[in-house]
Amino acid sequence: MAREELTRLTGNGSGNCGKDDCPNVYRNAAGSFVVQGAVSHAFTTPDGEALVEIPEAILREAIRVLGW
């Protein structure tokens, strides 16, 4: 899936982050979420899965944008 196929719910590329390098939450056409963040090694995930860490403020922003 290309980034262009996702709706970015958080961040605008301002501040200390570049346009694409901050923790973010995206939504795909099927309504699922794609999360971008720092890799976490809290535990080993099954093949094909990964853990990422994102700040609470990013999740709050995504919820606000969605009107939840």
Side-chain angles (χ1 to χ4, degrees):
M1 174 178 307
R3 184 185 305 245
E4 295 77 26
E5 298 175 63
L6 302 172
T7 300
R8 186 174 178 166
L9 301 176
T10 57
N12 61 10
S14 63
N16 295 330
C17 300
K19 182 179 174 201
D20 299 322
D21 64 350
C22 295
N24 282 295
V25 176
Y26 300 85
R27 194 167 194 188
N28 67 20
S32 294
F33 296 95
V34 177
V35 179
Q36 174 186 351
V39 175
S40 172
H41 299 286
F43 61 88
T44 302
T45 60
D47 286 345
E49 296 183 7
L51 297 175
V52 298
E53 295 181 20
I54 62 170
E56 180 179 325
I58 298 297
L59 290 177
R60 289 182 181 276
E61 183 180 355
I63 289 167
R64 179 188 59 76
V65 167
L66 290 168
W68 294 356

